[in-house]
Amino acid sequence: LIDSEYIGIVVNITQMLLLLIMINHCIACLWFHISSAQRDLRSTWVVKQGYGDADWMYQYTTSFHWSITQFTPASMDVQPANIGERICAIAVVLFALVGF
């Protein structure tokens, strides 16, 4: 293999990006699961945004997008719509603050 500082930097950046993607995937799944577990409530982010009939890929990418915005100063229309979602959102923001 080629031994260079450039390759080491690229490998480190790639590893960090993959870790961030994996963490955000898990958070996105948790975020969607909390909403799905409360289907009987009319007040979930999926229902409020009108994504109940959307296909699973759109719901997942929306959840993933929400997850990424919790780690950056970006904004998004999806907001917690009940106490369970709000607690999850607070926990994710605290994790992002401390972990990154």
Side-chain angles (χ1 to χ4, degrees):
L1 273 330
I2 301 171
D3 186 30
S4 75
E5 185 177 353
Y6 175 76
I7 298 230
I9 291 170
V10 169
V11 167
N12 283 338
I13 289 172
T14 303
Q15 287 175 336
M16 287 188 290
L17 281 173
L18 288 174
L19 178 64
L20 189 62
I21 288 169
M22 288 184 345
I23 289 170
N24 278 282
H25 165 76
C26 293
I27 291 170
C29 289
L30 174 67
W31 177 245
F32 186 75
H33 174 72
I34 288 172
S35 180
S36 294
Q38 301 178 42
R39 276 186 217 149
D40 55 327
L41 296 177
R42 291 179 180 244
S43 157
T44 67
W45 72 265
V46 174
V47 172
K48 282 202 169 194
Q49 295 296 320
Y51 299 146
D53 294 329
D55 67 359
W56 70 269
M57 185 57 117
Y58 190 79
Q59 292 174 338
Y60 170 75
T61 54
T62 302
S63 295
F64 191 78
H65 183 192
W66 176 87
S67 176
I68 288 174
T69 63
Q70 304 311 298
F71 285 74
T72 63
S75 64
M76 178 174 197
D77 290 341
V78 172
Q79 301 294 325
N82 60 52
I83 190 71
E85 293 173 357
R86 182 134 339 253
I87 289 169
C88 176
I90 291 168
V92 169
V93 169
L94 289 174
F95 171 74
L97 259 159
V98 174
F100 294 90

